Amino acid sequence: MQSIDFPFDKFNFNSDSILEGLPESDLILLNKNRVTHQYKKGEILFREGSYPTGIYYIKKGKVKKYKTDKDGREQIFYVCRKGELFGYHALISDEKYSDTTATLEESTITFISKDDFLKAIQLSPILSNRLLKCMSHEFGVLVNGLAVFAQRTVRERLALSLILLRDKYKKENQDKKPVELDLSRDDLAKFVGTARETLVRLLHDFKEDGLIEINGRKIILKKPLELSKIANLY
Amino acid sequence: MQSIDFPFDKFNFNSDSILEGLPESDLILLNKNRVTHQYKKGEILFREGSYPTGIYYIKKGKVKKYKTDKDGREQIFYVCRKGELFGYHALISDEKYSDTTATLEESTITFISKDDFLKAIQLSPILSNRLLKCMSHEFGVLVNGLAVFAQRTVRERLALSLILLRDKYKKENQDKKPVELDLSRDDLAKFVGTARETLVRLLHDFKEDGLIEINGRKIILKKPLELSKIANLY
DNA sequence: GGTAAAATGTGACATAAGTCACATTTTTAG
DNA sequence: CTAAAAATGTGACTTATGTCACATTTTACC
């Protein structure tokens, strides 16, 4: 298997770092009223334009964050995996959600109420500093994403997307097994930012060139290094 | 003149709010070693990939924030005007700059050193809270920008860009005079995310349709309302 | 004030990528 | 197990937008 040296941090939020190893006292505050809930695939956690009531933590599963335009076209701009926190921006800025978030697969998600979270921020400089650091990092990630959409071709974006998603679909303790991307062509197209038809054709080109393997809906990267060259970022 | 009800906040950072009316004690900390400098048009304040040494505040003028790709293509993703603060993300996240920032016109800019700024954050919960709020807001702004690049046509993006830039080029105490966008075709093309040739042709279409007026490099919006319809956002 | 350099504008052409209309395969549910 | 629904794949066609190669206008500067 090709190993690959890729700057994932330029494209990944780092929200795991917010709660990880937080002092017990802070965790107690946050966990006071937390509720954990099981979601089926495709369930919406919050919608763009609605008001936040709390934040979410993924114990198991994955969610997609996306925008829907006037004509109903969906653009996925981020996929959160296990361990990530989401939904805190709108809450902190006291605004409506700027995106919609839905599960990509069956997921277990913990909800922390608005009051608990805001109180914890006020009382814990550690938490507040971590949020500052995390959101500063996110700024760069989104700017990089924006540049990709503005400057790269669909083919380049697909190559990049496959690399980024492989990282998301990596399972722990399964370093031996190849990573299988398990999402619909539709969702992949919405992540890449293209039409499903175009996506399908490009996938077959990549397969022809031996860069990927396709098993039904599942995609396995055979030559991530070549793909990163096609992404043409650096 | 057409008045226009447009959600500018969805596309503008709000960094003015960070320092505005900050307690005197905090300002003293921040201003301890500040230096104000005059810049000519086109000067670079910092480059993507370099390490931050402080933050910047615009007393007069405008700067563009942009990414340059492998092939040298520039994508402007934000224009800061008088009163805005910039350069704090990389500093807070302790990372390299994710973009390059350069003056768009002759500008007067104050520099606050890294140490002073970081110390002020540690000592002032007000400042730290404002930064949190501001960066949460910026998240939504960048997500909106990303969606625009992923989903809107060049024509739509140009209409939107003209509306957003008019707001940036608005002069205080000159509500009577029409706002003149005074930037090069090249920079406008880089902001819209298109080729200069395409931009020029679309501008002439808009002129034909009476939506804008062109005086040399200067552009005046005659029908912002129509333009906002063309932008096709809501 | 005149000349070089930079910025702007235009025509011709190429092409990446979207759309539409179906065929085929896979999944779901009764 | 089977029918219906959803997801996937394919061919034909259109078009928005980029590229190249210059003409023209504006700006800068000795």
Side-chain angles (χ1 to χ4, degrees):
Chain A
M1 193 38 168
Q2 276 186 325
S3 80
I4 171 177
D5 169 37
F6 191 85
F8 288 104
D9 51 309
K10 291 195 177 171
F11 296 96
N12 284 328
F13 299 158
N14 195 17
S15 67
D16 309 55
S17 67
I18 296 173
L19 299 184
E20 213 165 71
L22 206 62
E24 194 57 30
S25 54
D26 293 349
L27 287 174
I28 289 172
L29 277 173
L30 289 170
N31 290 338
K32 211 190 285 179
N33 304 294
R34 75 161 182 212
V35 272
T36 299
H37 201 57
Q38 183 89 356
Y39 295 88
K40 280 175 293 190
K41 180 199 276 199
E43 283 196 77
I44 289 180
L45 293 143
F46 55 76
R47 274 173 210 281
E48 174 177 1
S50 67
Y51 281 102
T53 57
I55 64 165
Y56 302 82
Y57 172 80
I58 307 181
K59 293 188 90 159
K60 185 176 143 293
K62 267 182 260 304
V63 305
K64 57 177 175 181
K65 294 182 78 67
Y66 61 95
K67 298 271 295 182
T68 309
D69 73 10
K70 222 185 160 181
D71 318 314
R73 210 162 92 80
E74 219 175 85
Q75 177 60 48
I76 301 176
F77 63 89
Y78 196 74
V79 170
C80 301
R81 53 156 181 50
K82 178 181 166 180
E84 295 198 67
L85 204 67
F86 64 91
Y88 45 92
H89 302 96
L91 202 133
I92 295 171
S93 64
D94 195 25
E95 297 173 322
K96 294 172 184 167
Y97 285 118
S98 58
D99 63 81
T100 302
T101 301
T103 52
L104 270 176
E105 54 193 56
E106 193 178 283
S107 305
T108 312
I109 295 171
T110 298
F111 175 84
I112 297 168
S113 82
K114 174 176 171 170
D115 288 350
D116 289 350
F117 182 60
L118 292 180
K119 192 168 291 171
I121 295 178
Q122 293 316 316
L123 295 176
S124 164
I126 297 178
L127 177 59
S128 141
N129 273 321
R130 284 183 176 195
L131 280 165
L132 272 179
K133 203 159 177 173
C134 182
M135 291 200 284
S136 302
H137 171 72
E138 287 170 349
F139 183 88
V141 170
L142 288 179
V143 166
N144 288 332
L146 195 143
V148 166
F149 277 106
Q151 301 178 317
R152 317 300 352 150
T153 64
V154 172
R155 184 181 151 86
E156 291 168 334
R157 294 206 303 271
L158 173 57
L160 173 62
S161 299
L162 291 174
I163 292 168
L164 296 176
L165 287 171
R166 187 173 75 137
D167 202 48
K168 299 281 179 182
Y169 278 85
K170 202 150 55 185
K171 299 255 178 26
E172 39 204 333
N173 314 321
Q174 290 195 207
D175 293 350
K176 311 289 180 301
K177 283 190 197 163
V179 183
E180 294 185 323
L181 305 199
D182 183 17
L183 75 173
S184 70
R185 296 290 184 266
D186 231 51
D187 277 331
L188 183 52
K190 285 164 182 167
F191 187 69
V192 173
T194 190
R196 188 177 45 79
E197 295 92 325
T198 302
L199 172 88
V200 168
R201 292 185 239 266
L202 285 172
L203 279 179
H204 286 302
D205 289 355
F206 283 178
K207 186 184 169 183
E208 283 293 299
D209 299 345
L211 303 170
I212 61 171
E213 198 179 295
I214 300 178
N215 295 330
R217 62 148 33 186
K218 307 226 177 106
I219 298 166
I220 296 172
L221 310 208
K222 305 305 283 184
K223 299 186 178 167
L225 207 75
E226 305 301 315
L227 285 169
S228 83
K229 277 178 200 150
I230 290 172
N232 192 29
L233 284 180
Y234 306 102
Chain B
M1 192 38 165
Q2 275 186 327
S3 79
I4 171 176
D5 170 38
F6 191 85
F8 288 103
D9 52 307
K10 291 195 175 169
F11 296 94
N12 284 327
F13 299 159
N14 195 18
S15 68
D16 310 57
S17 67
I18 295 173
L19 299 184
E20 212 166 70
L22 207 62
E24 193 58 29
S25 55
D26 293 349
L27 287 173
I28 290 172
L29 277 173
L30 289 170
N31 291 338
K32 211 189 284 179
N33 304 294
R34 74 161 180 211
V35 273
T36 298
H37 201 58
Q38 183 88 357
Y39 295 87
K40 282 178 290 193
K41 181 198 273 199
E43 285 195 75
I44 288 181
L45 293 144
F46 55 75
R47 275 174 209 281
E48 175 175 0
S50 67
Y51 280 103
T53 58
I55 64 164
Y56 301 83
Y57 172 80
I58 307 182
K59 293 188 89 160
K60 187 177 142 293
K62 266 182 263 303
V63 305
K64 58 176 174 182
K65 294 182 80 66
Y66 61 94
K67 298 272 295 183
T68 309
D69 72 10
K70 222 184 162 184
D71 318 314
R73 210 162 92 81
E74 217 175 85
Q75 177 61 48
I76 301 176
F77 64 89
Y78 196 73
V79 170
C80 301
R81 53 155 180 53
K82 179 182 165 182
E84 294 197 67
L85 204 67
F86 64 91
Y88 45 93
H89 302 96
L91 203 136
I92 296 172
S93 64
D94 196 24
E95 297 174 321
K96 294 174 184 167
Y97 286 118
S98 59
D99 63 80
T100 302
T101 301
T103 52
L104 269 178
E105 55 192 56
E106 195 178 280
S107 304
T108 311
I109 295 171
T110 297
F111 176 83
I112 296 168
S113 82
K114 175 176 170 168
D115 287 351
D116 288 351
F117 182 61
L118 291 180
K119 192 168 292 170
I121 294 177
Q122 293 315 318
L123 294 176
S124 166
I126 297 178
L127 177 59
S128 141
N129 272 320
R130 283 183 178 196
L131 281 165
L132 271 179
K133 203 158 176 171
C134 183
M135 291 200 287
S136 302
H137 172 73
E138 288 169 349
F139 183 88
V141 170
L142 288 178
V143 166
N144 288 331
L146 196 143
V148 165
F149 278 106
Q151 300 178 318
R152 314 305 346 153
T153 64
V154 173
R155 184 181 152 84
E156 291 169 334
R157 294 205 304 270
L158 172 57
L160 174 62
S161 299
L162 291 173
I163 292 168
L164 295 177
L165 287 171
R166 186 172 77 136
D167 203 47
K168 298 282 179 184
Y169 279 84
K170 203 151 54 186
K171 299 253 178 25
E172 39 204 334
N173 312 321
Q174 289 193 207
D175 293 350
K176 311 289 181 298
K177 283 190 198 163
V179 183
E180 295 185 323
L181 306 199
D182 183 17
L183 75 172
S184 70
R185 296 287 184 266
D186 232 52
D187 277 332
L188 183 52
K190 285 163 181 166
F191 187 70
V192 173
T194 188
R196 188 177 45 78
E197 295 91 325
T198 303
L199 172 88
V200 168
R201 292 184 238 268
L202 285 172
L203 278 180
H204 286 302
D205 289 354
F206 283 179
K207 186 185 169 183
E208 283 292 299
D209 299 345
L211 302 170
I212 61 171
E213 197 180 295
I214 301 179
N215 294 329
R217 63 147 36 185
K218 306 221 176 111
I219 299 165
I220 296 172
L221 309 209
K222 305 303 285 181
K223 299 187 179 166
L225 206 76
E226 304 302 315
L227 284 168
S228 84
K229 275 177 202 154
I230 290 171
N232 192 28
L233 284 179
Y234 305 103

